[in-house]
Amino acid sequence: SSGLPFVINTWGGPFTAATDAAYLALVNGTAATALDAVEVGCTTCEANQCDGSVGYGGSPDESCETTLDALIMDGATFAAGAVANLRRVRSAVGVARAVMEHTAHTLLAGDQATAFAVQNGFVEEDISTPDSRAACAEWRAAACQPNYRVAVSPDASVSCGPYTPLQVDNTTSAQTQASHD
Amino acid sequence: TISMIAIDASGAMAAATSTNGASHKVPGRVGDGPIVGSGSYVDGEVGGCGATGDGDIMMRFLPCYQAVESLRRGLTPQEAADDAVARMVRKFPTISSGIVVVDNQGRHGGAGSGWTFTYAYRGGVMNETVVVSVPPI
């Protein structure tokens, strides 16, 4: 161990800005707690978009929309808050903290999570970017490849939708390698 | 995906994860990021964990819960990380995964599969962040 305070996170490169932000917030006292520090770190990554896998304008879905997932957890109290499929709000970890602090729930999802975010002072806005719209357009131009749909018609490995379900063989488990979180 | 664990000067711990998920996912899909014990997990009595990778698979294994419980049973952070990844690789040999594990003293380790996973840390009086590269299991 290098001693306390201490911050550690997945990935290097652009993600080290988040490491530094969280660490310096603890050292400088702008983060009063470890909980504040991880929020500062993840918020930094969301604002910077890190490598494109965090924050607005990344990983568009089939409909070209960017949605966000986030979780925050207090190691002392086991309090936790999370948002899933958060739409049209940039500060996912901030909304997760609001879920933790202003509800007795752990996870809110989708449009209702967006409504909760707005109720708690977060701004609802378009979180796609020219880059994310272009990535989605390129995906559609490439016959929607790679693709997570399985056992559908038309064959999702070569065609875009709309899709209808086919008979499923439950003896095997589908594992696609199209992308990752 | 960023998944982060912090320990403040008093030893209090917290964890968080933020992600925009997988590109070209089916609308409505949610991965491992916001799932307690999967995207991250922390128990200040023991340590914390953060994860990234193929969330559709990883969320079935709760690798961060597994890793923190392994710390509780006496494994080192490196052993706990290796064990959690190995459990997923055993069932899904081609999975892309990465987890970082830290105990409540700041001792840390990482493990991954399917790619060269990296993690970053800074603590004590370090002047800059250090990045660790982890060869795949």
Side-chain angles (χ1 to χ4, degrees):
Chain A
S1 172
S2 51
L4 304 183
F6 187 84
V7 174
I8 191 166
N9 58 266
T10 52
W11 302 118
F15 292 78
T16 59
T19 323
D20 290 335
Y23 171 81
L24 292 173
L26 283 172
V27 170
N28 297 335
T30 52
T33 64
L35 201 62
D36 294 333
V38 293
E39 182 179 1
V40 166
C42 288
T43 297
T44 299
C45 212
E46 290 170 352
N48 294 351
Q49 300 174 289
C50 277
D51 67 343
S53 68
V54 181
Y56 68 98
S59 303
D61 66 17
E62 286 181 350
S63 302
C64 301
E65 181 177 359
T66 294
T67 57
L68 305 179
D69 303 331
L71 162 68
I72 191 165
M73 184 173 186
D74 185 329
T77 64
F78 262 46
V83 288
N85 192 31
L86 178 68
R87 309 178 76 184
R88 303 181 301 279
V89 176
R90 288 193 181 199
S91 181
V93 75
V95 182
R97 184 158 185 182
V99 171
M100 187 184 82
E101 294 185 335
H102 299 294
T103 79
H105 301 311
T106 300
L107 173 62
L108 297 182
D111 280 337
Q112 291 94 336
T114 303
F116 174 83
V118 171
Q119 291 161 12
N120 281 270
F122 294 90
V123 176
E124 183 175 358
E125 59 187 323
D126 181 5
I127 64 169
S128 65
T129 63
D131 284 348
S132 67
R133 286 189 286 272
C136 191
E138 289 172 13
W139 178 75
R140 287 177 170 171
C144 302
Q145 302 305 308
N147 195 299
Y148 286 98
R149 305 267 182 170
V150 295
V152 294
S153 177
D155 183 350
S157 68
V158 293
S159 297
C160 292
Y163 304 105
T164 55
L166 296 175
Q167 182 79 27
V168 175
D169 175 6
N170 284 320
T171 60
T172 58
S173 176
Q175 184 188 12
T176 59
Q177 294 289 319
S179 180
H180 59 79
D181 295 82
Chain B
T1 301
I2 184 167
S3 188
M4 172 179 282
I5 307 102
I7 315 173
D8 68 22
S10 72
M13 298 187 75
T17 300
S18 184
T19 182
N20 51 35
S23 294
H24 318 306
K25 55 188 169 285
V26 177
R29 177 267 193 189
V30 174
D32 61 332
I35 307 301
V36 176
S38 196
S40 54
Y41 193 67
V42 60
D43 180 344
E45 293 180 353
V46 184
C49 166
T52 184
D54 184 348
D56 293 305
I57 302 300
M58 294 181 73
M59 65 194 304
R60 306 174 197 178
F61 290 85
L62 298 180
C64 279
Y65 176 81
Q66 179 65 53
V68 171
E69 290 307 306
S70 291
L71 290 179
R72 196 189 310 277
R73 291 192 300 109
L75 272 66
T76 67
Q78 186 62 57
E79 291 169 340
D82 288 340
D83 173 72
V85 169
R87 287 168 184 264
M88 296 186 288
V89 170
R90 202 172 299 135
K91 297 288 188 183
F92 295 93
T94 62
I95 186 174
S96 295
S97 70
I99 73 167
V100 60
V101 181
V102 59
D103 69 16
N104 61 5
Q105 302 301 307
R107 292 180 287 255
H108 53 88
S113 63
W115 54 19
T116 299
F117 172 61
T118 60
Y119 69 88
Y121 71 94
R122 186 171 177 182
V125 294
M126 290 170 63
N127 289 322
E128 60 183 14
T129 291
V130 169
V131 176
V132 178
S133 183
V134 181
I137 287 179

